[in-house]
Amino acid sequence: EYVGRAVNFVCGVSAVPGGAQTVVLNFYGKTVNGTMRCPGQEVYIPSQVIMGRCEDKVNELRAVWRMGTTVLVDNSTYVICQAPGIEPVAGYLILKENSSYFATLIGCVMGGFFGILLILVVTFYALKRSEKFQKCLKGRSIDEDINTCIEE
């Protein structure tokens, strides 16, 4: 999954005839941990935009952890799904950076460089052709400078 997208961890069990049906979904992140027991209450962790809920279908009970958005620190987050009579199952979150971000960044930097270069070249040629600017920058001849120095 890519950084910045929502992620769902889902754990479910089918109904066991005549048996108690429960699911426990444990969530282990670098910044937050949580446990979702089904059947049970919804869990909300506002600081990480993480919500846990139970879904009770006809012959299935599911526990769901939803991360509203992901950041790089969420990489390697894992969950463990447990239910009576079933071996625990683990799932890991592997995040990738969106490579188009870097292409856009490089394109903007190159575009900015060439844009500034173009402005400087156009300004140089416009000033080079300007008579007023030429008069301003045109220095006096050496004879005029010497005469000015002698007169003073």
Side-chain angles (χ1 to χ4, degrees):
E1 197 60 45
Y2 289 110
V3 173
R5 295 198 178 163
V7 174
N8 288 330
F9 294 102
V10 181
C11 172
V13 293
S14 298
V16 179
Q21 187 178 20
T22 61
V23 175
V24 177
L25 185 57
N26 295 307
F27 178 91
Y28 301 99
K30 291 181 182 172
T31 57
V32 67
N33 297 329
T35 298
M36 184 72 222
R37 295 182 189 282
C38 294
Q41 299 280 330
E42 286 190 357
V43 177
Y44 183 61
I45 304 170
S47 63
Q48 300 294 318
V49 193
I50 298 173
M51 186 172 69
R53 70 178 189 280
C54 296
E55 296 175 352
D56 197 357
K57 306 276 181 167
V58 176
N59 287 325
E60 184 180 19
L61 180 63
R62 296 195 307 181
V64 179
W65 275 114
R66 176 173 176 76
M67 298 175 72
T69 184
T70 54
V71 292
L72 277 177
V73 75
D74 295 327
N75 205 12
S76 300
T77 294
Y78 67 98
V79 294
I80 297 178
C81 177
Q82 299 171 325
I86 300 172
E87 292 213 16
V89 178
Y92 293 87
L93 177 63
I94 307 290
L95 294 172
K96 296 180 250 178
E97 293 234 18
N98 192 348
S99 61
S100 66
Y101 167 76
F102 293 111
T104 303
L105 180 64
I106 290 168
C108 287
V109 169
M110 289 177 59
F113 172 75
F114 286 114
I116 290 171
L117 187 63
L118 179 66
I119 290 171
L120 290 175
V121 168
V122 168
T123 304
F124 173 76
Y125 280 112
L127 291 175
K128 188 175 179 181
R129 297 184 71 185
S130 168
E131 289 180 26
K132 192 174 188 179
F133 186 71
Q134 292 292 329
K135 279 184 178 180
C136 179
L137 290 182
K138 184 177 180 184
R140 300 178 183 169
S141 68
I142 295 175
D143 293 335
E144 288 177 359
D145 284 342
I146 292 174
N147 291 338
T148 304
C149 290
I150 293 172
E151 290 174 4
E152 292 177 1

